[in-house]
Amino acid sequence: RQSPVPRERGAESSVHSHPWPHWFLCIQGEGYFLIDKERVPLEFGTWVHVPGGVRHNFGNTGKGQLMAL
């Protein structure tokens, strides 16, 4: 079971990597997901796949909270 990941307006994660792949689903708000050097815009319904070992981060560029699974 996955819990939502909230990010307040203007917040962003640190750039990091881990050995496992993962997926990110935007369920509220607007933002971006940076995968290596590719910046993907986020909005409701956007799915992102991050391969294992790839540096990435994400942030909230919207007016409200960004929520993701």
Side-chain angles (χ1 to χ4, degrees):
R1 183 180 136 136
Q2 180 70 35
S3 298
V5 176
R7 289 285 186 243
E8 298 302 322
R9 184 178 182 183
E12 62 183 8
S13 69
S14 62
V15 176
H16 62 284
S17 67
H18 27 80
W20 59 86
H22 68 280
W23 295 262
F24 182 100
L25 171 62
C26 180
I27 59 172
Q28 178 182 317
E30 297 175 338
Y32 71 90
F33 209 108
L34 186 66
I35 305 168
D36 196 16
K37 295 178 181 158
E38 179 184 358
R39 187 177 171 114
V40 177
L42 296 176
E43 61 183 22
F44 176 78
T46 304
W47 279 93
V48 177
H49 173 253
V50 182
V54 175
R55 293 177 55 83
H56 59 278
N57 84 316
F58 65 97
N60 182 349
T61 58
K63 295 179 180 178
Q65 192 173 59
L66 175 67
M67 294 283 290
L69 295 175

